Amino acid sequence: MINKGLSKVGIFLLNVLSLLPLFILYRLADAFYVLIFYVFGYRRKVVKENLINAFPEKSTSEINDIEKRFYKFLSSLFIEVIKMKSISKKELNKRVKFKNTDLVEAYLKNNESVLFCSSHYGNYEWVCMAIGLNFSGEHYPIYKPLSSEAFNNWFLTMRSKFGNRMVSMRQTLRAIQSSKNKPTMFTFGSDQAPSKDESNYWTTFLNQESSIQLGVEKIARKTNRPVFYLKINYLKRGYYEVDCVPICLNPAETAEFEITEMHTHFLEDMIKEAPAYWLWSHRRWKYKPEQKVQKVVVRDQDIMDAIV
């Protein structure tokens, strides 16, 4: 009961904070950076270890530079997430620009659906919100529910306010089956690590053995929906450009795990190009491969069969 009450107070304060203009919020972000980097050292050990393992060729000074730039960006990202509560359509469209959308729209206008690969890179939250404003089809972002019901509902309200239809990871196949007769976009966080029990496929990602989610590939190969990667480019503080890059237009013709390798190495190249804007504080590599499994059991097979 106490935790629930504290959550409500916290959400109220965040909603009030969201009403401030961004130029003031960014000043708060500067102060927040000092606190999480220098005072509290928020997950610095995790970040440092991730960076060193990912870039063994970089010098200590280079790693330190990426680390500081990451924390400065993380502070701004925190503020930008809070701003989602009050941001207007006009403001969001000014700050998130899409390019190369014609091919995606061609599928949607032909009553066909597409799959988007995304990642915890740049302001993925604003990008996800903006998709609902920039494309003609219905948008279904896949999300992992938070443990706090109050904060989970708060995030769902913000994420869906511009028309997005949020879908819990466990409900993905059912959502695809129920919407199969209309043009849709399903967006997957392709860098989200599976649980230990669901770590069925491992590959090398950023110089480390990494378990990879197989949801995008399983659905793409079953439905032959084209796969696009949402390449997020950080332009300057609070401004992003999103390139809709086709990485597989005929999934049914691919070999097993081919699409998974495609989107994994696409993200790797994107991170290497500008490493400060990926979520290095995430414990991405907390599980290690005890045995590489090359056979994947597809759950809810009856639902998968009903999709096509």
Side-chain angles (χ1 to χ4, degrees), residues 173 198 200 214-215 217-219 221-222 256-257 295-305 307:
L173 297 180
E198 295 177 338
N200 296 315
L214 293 168
E217 172 167 320
K218 288 188 291 187
I219 293 169
R221 295 183 73 208
K222 188 69 178 180
E256 190 175 19
F257 307 128
K295 183 167 179 62
V296 179
V297 178
V298 178
R299 298 182 177 181
D300 295 332
Q301 187 62 52
D302 292 339
I303 299 175
M304 287 290 288
D305 291 339
I307 292 174

Side-chain angles (χ1 to χ4, degrees), residues 33-284:
Y33 161 69
V34 174
L35 288 176
I36 64 172
F37 187 76
Y38 290 104
V39 179
F40 298 110
Y42 171 72
R43 292 195 177 182
R44 285 194 61 181
K45 183 177 179 181
V46 173
V47 172
K48 181 78 77 174
E49 181 180 346
N50 284 343
L51 287 171
I52 291 173
N53 291 338
F55 304 112
E57 75 284 358
K58 291 189 181 297
S59 66
T60 300
S61 61
E62 288 175 311
I63 293 294
N64 291 341
D65 178 64
I66 296 171
E67 181 188 18
K68 285 186 177 181
R69 288 191 289 119
F70 163 70
Y71 275 99
K72 288 178 181 179
F73 170 71
L74 182 65
S75 301
S76 294
L77 177 63
F78 177 73
I79 289 299
E80 290 171 8
V81 169
I82 293 174
K83 189 62 182 178
M84 289 168 62
K85 181 65 179 178
S86 63
I87 197 169
S88 66
K89 293 180 180 180
K90 181 179 179 181
E91 182 76 6
L92 185 62
N93 277 332
K94 182 179 76 172
R95 293 177 174 274
V96 180
K97 298 289 187 181
F98 288 82
K99 59 184 290 189
N100 297 326
T101 60
D102 292 350
L103 185 55
V104 175
E105 276 298 317
Y107 283 103
L108 298 175
K109 290 177 180 177
N110 197 39
N111 203 39
E112 298 178 65
S113 295
V114 304
L115 304 178
F116 285 149
C117 280
S118 185
S119 58
H120 293 86
Y121 189 94
N123 191 331
Y124 46 90
E125 293 285 0
W126 277 10
V127 170
C128 190
M129 285 182 72
I131 290 174
L133 299 175
N134 286 272
F135 294 90
S136 59
E138 291 185 354
H139 183 217
Y140 294 78
I142 310 303
Y143 76 98
K144 184 178 181 179
L146 300 174
S147 57
S148 167
E149 181 180 358
F151 277 99
N152 187 63
N153 291 336
W154 182 65
F155 266 103
L156 285 178
T157 300
M158 294 193 301
R159 288 167 168 170
S160 59
K161 75 175 189 176
F162 293 147
N164 292 334
R165 300 169 181 264
M166 305 301 298
V167 178
S168 172
M169 291 177 67
R170 298 289 184 183
Q171 301 299 317
T172 303
L173 297 180
R174 288 174 173 80
I176 290 176
Q177 194 277 336
S178 65
S179 63
K180 66 179 182 180
N181 294 321
K182 51 188 175 183
T184 62
M185 300 161 289
F186 277 74
T187 297
F188 296 80
S190 60
D191 62 340
Q192 184 74 43
S195 66
K196 188 173 183 179
D197 293 338
E198 295 177 338
S199 295
N200 296 315
Y201 183 72
W202 297 79
T203 191
T204 302
F205 170 61
L206 292 173
N207 291 301
Q208 297 161 87
E209 287 298 296
S210 309
S211 59
I212 308 295
Q213 293 276 6
L214 293 168
V216 175
E217 172 167 320
K218 288 188 291 187
I219 293 169
R221 295 183 73 208
K222 188 69 178 180
T223 64
N224 203 34
R225 296 183 181 190
V227 181
F228 292 80
Y229 208 105
L230 298 175
K231 183 181 181 184
I232 302 174
N233 298 304
Y234 178 90
L235 302 179
K236 62 179 181 179
R237 198 179 213 181
Y239 290 87
Y240 305 88
E241 180 183 74
V242 187
D243 193 356
C244 302
V245 181
I247 62 172
C248 185
L249 298 181
N250 295 292
E253 298 178 2
T254 61
E256 190 175 19
F257 307 128
E258 185 177 350
I259 294 174
T260 299
E261 290 289 334
M262 286 179 181
H263 70 66
T264 298
H265 292 297
F266 188 95
L267 173 60
E268 183 176 62
D269 290 341
M270 190 167 73
I271 293 171
K272 288 180 177 179
E273 185 178 324
Y277 309 116
W278 192 54
L279 196 62
W280 294 102
S281 54
H282 177 51
R283 292 186 174 93
R284 178 65 178 80

